[in-house]
Amino acid sequence: MNIIVPIKQVPDLVEGLEIDESGKDLNREWIKLKLNEFDDHALEEALLLKEESGATVTAIAIDSQDIDKVLFTAAAKGADKIIKVTGNFGTTVTSHEAAKALANAISSMQYDLVLTGVQAVDDRDGQIAVLLANYLNVPHVSVVTGVSINGGAVSVMKEYGGGNVAEFECTPPLVLGIQAARQTPRYVPVAKVRQIMKSATLEEVAGGDVSVVAASTVQKFSFPTGGGSAQMIEGSAEEQANKIFELLKEKGIK
Amino acid sequence: MSKQIFVITEHLRGKIDDVTYEMLGKGKELAAASGGELVAVLLGHNQKELANEFGAASKVIYADHEKLADFNPWMYAKIVSEIVAQQKPRVVLTAYSSMGIEVAPAVSVSQGISLTAYVSDLSIQDLKVSVVSQIYGGKMNIEAVDENESMIACVLPGSFPADAGKATGSPAVEDFAVSGLDESKIQFKKLIAPDKSDVDITQSEILVSVGRGIQSNDNLPMVEELATKLGGAVSCSRPIVDSKWMPKTRQVGKSGLKVKPKCYLALGISGAPEHIEGMKEADLVIAVNTDPKAPIFDYAHYGVVGDLFDIIPALSAKL
Ligand SMILES: Cc1cc2nc3c(=O)[nH]c(=O)nc-3n(C[C@H](O)[C@H](O)[C@H](O)COP(=O)(O)OP(=O)(O)OC[C@H]3O[C@@H](n4cnc5c(N)ncnc54)[C@H](O)[C@@H]3O)c2cc1C
Ligand SMILES: Nc1ncnc2c1ncn2[C@@H]1O[C@H](COP(=O)(O)O)[C@@H](O)[C@H]1O
């Protein structure tokens, strides 16, 4: 079984986001990036399947800032191959463009399963798993929390709301959008990443034509004012806790 | 250019999801502005009577097939694509839900129409559609305009009032002829019901809810202590469940439970749209977060910018 795992970095939301001068994008100069958390789960699920059924795992990413290190980290965790998709990508790649580039690269490879993360925080034009499946012309299941291989068939758990789960039986090749691996994603020490950077090869594949037919046009980025409605409780932690306590009493909760 | 507005409806175990009514309410408004009709699209098997729930629409397109009895990503995407291809509506609304997330991108690629996700608002004027997406975990709004012939929007649940789309009646039902579902490589096997053995957090009047800010499961006892002192239960955000620190039965949000307690304490929860979906109806929300820009403060009634490791013990000590 050949499993391909597309991975990408996203802005770390713990840091403050800034809007750039155009007003139509993030200010990316000082932005801190991190691996999309759902990709970490997708890679973990692929590695679990490899350990159970002897699959080959390939991590693939579109060329972007600091992506080599991300791919070598995947190799250090146990990916057998790492591939960078090259092309004329700007600082931002839409989901459709990314899906097309990945489809162009993957379609010439041998694969049974493609495990992407279920989503990323920045995909304004849709989630990659299903876009990619449609460009590759293979079936898809997304919001997946469990995968098992039984001979030629793949059994997949898909989550709905309210704690409901559906089980599907699928025939590869197919694309799965992974919400959560069956196990917490493994950790790899930096030393091991450094070591693998010396031995592993990072292959490159051209992304090809990524032009997209129709899209909406971004006009403006802005910070949500939501209601901005929360009344803020100020003071020291002790004073804040006091005020919460008074509030709960006042509302008849305590 | 077509002026029609389509809503792709959702149901599970014979029950219509609220987001469907939210979309129908918004769809009605859009149809009035575009001068077109509002059409509800329903897929299922022996479920034609559900069409009566869509009184807000002028018409229901109903696709019936035994293989559509339960949601199937490939089959549902295929049939919705065919229905959209026939009519090229100006706007198709799907939910940003486990079902919608499979349908919207598939229709976008198969029909070559534009797709906008995480949509929290949209309006239409002279057939130009303005659309707002809430991305970066709810930390940024992006306004865009769509001037294409047709577009699909994946709508964040909880963005529009459901009541506006709740109208019973008997809209005209048009049957859609289903074919070509035989060679699917994806077969639905079974639906597994949620576990009922744990505390039912939807019944708790007071919820002390923790997120990733809690850092480790070693820190959960202090949260439990606070909940006990308040006479409530502990609930949590998704990463806490994915880390196996708490059972799925305690998860609040899109793929967890929708709760409506008298009081919801959100401790170290950022307020991603998928979490907000599950708790925005709570009577009183008090949020504690170290990040003054955390989106949770847009939904809380009271906010504390502070460290939960200071606030929790200090509050517990008072009780
Ligand atoms: C299909 C789908 C379904 C989903 N369903 C759900 C769902 O049902 N429920 C759900 O919750 N999520 C769901 N998610 C995940 C969701 O997108 C977010 O990833 C998740 O809600 C984030 O959880 P969090 O707020 O605990 O973590 P984070 O976003 O990491 O936030 C942690 C917060 O803690 C704060 N913090 C850190 N340290 C402290 C401290 N010492 N004191 C106080 N504050 C601190 C930080 O400032 C931050 O705001 C779903 C995602 C997908 C794709
Ligand atoms: N630029 C990219 N390079 C590689 N994989 C990607 C890229 N963009 C998206 N993906 C994959 O698609 C998943 C979902 O991303 P998205 O749909 O953009 O939210 C990610 O978690 C990755 O698995």
Side-chain angles (χ1 to χ4, degrees), chain A residues 6-8 36 39 60-62 95 98 102 116-117 119-120 123 126-128:
Chain A
I7 56 181
K8 77 174 206 182
N36 177 16
D39 296 10
I60 185 169
I62 290 175
S95 299
L102 290 170
T116 76
Q119 66 172 43
D123 45 15
Q127 285 73 29
I128 296 280

Side-chain angles (χ1 to χ4, degrees), chain B residues 167-280:
Chain B
T168 43
S170 18
V173 180
E174 189 181 297
D175 290 308
F176 181 83
V178 176
S179 64
L181 295 183
D182 300 331
E183 16 83 89
S184 174
K185 295 194 158 64
I186 296 190
Q187 303 295 337
F188 170 80
K189 284 286 163 202
K190 61 175 185 277
L191 199 57
I192 302 158
D195 175 14
K196 295 268 186 231
S197 60
D198 190 23
V199 176
D200 182 358
I201 57 167
T202 64
Q203 300 301 314
S204 293
E205 295 204 324
I206 298 162
L207 286 175
V208 179
S209 210
V210 281
R212 193 142 42 190
I214 196 72
Q215 285 173 14
S216 152
N217 59 345
D218 297 338
N219 299 324
L220 284 175
M222 66 189 244
V223 183
E224 274 148 19
E225 184 194 336
L226 177 60
T228 307
K229 285 188 167 169
L230 283 169
V234 179
S235 58
C236 63
S237 66
R238 162 135 223 159
I240 305 301
V241 174
D242 287 344
S243 304
K244 319 272 186 257
W245 297 345
M246 293 200 73
K248 189 80 190 170
T249 43
R250 303 296 181 109
Q251 184 184 320
V252 172
K254 178 186 280 304
S255 46
L257 294 161
K258 252 189 210 163
V259 298
K260 200 176 174 302
K262 273 196 185 146
C263 176
Y264 189 83
L265 279 179
L267 309 170
I269 294 177
S270 63
E274 296 86 2
H275 186 80
I276 299 297
E277 204 179 312
M279 47 61 76
K280 70 189 291 185

Side-chain angles (χ1 to χ4, degrees), chain A residues 2 37 106:
Chain A
N2 288 311
E37 62 173 302
I106 293 172

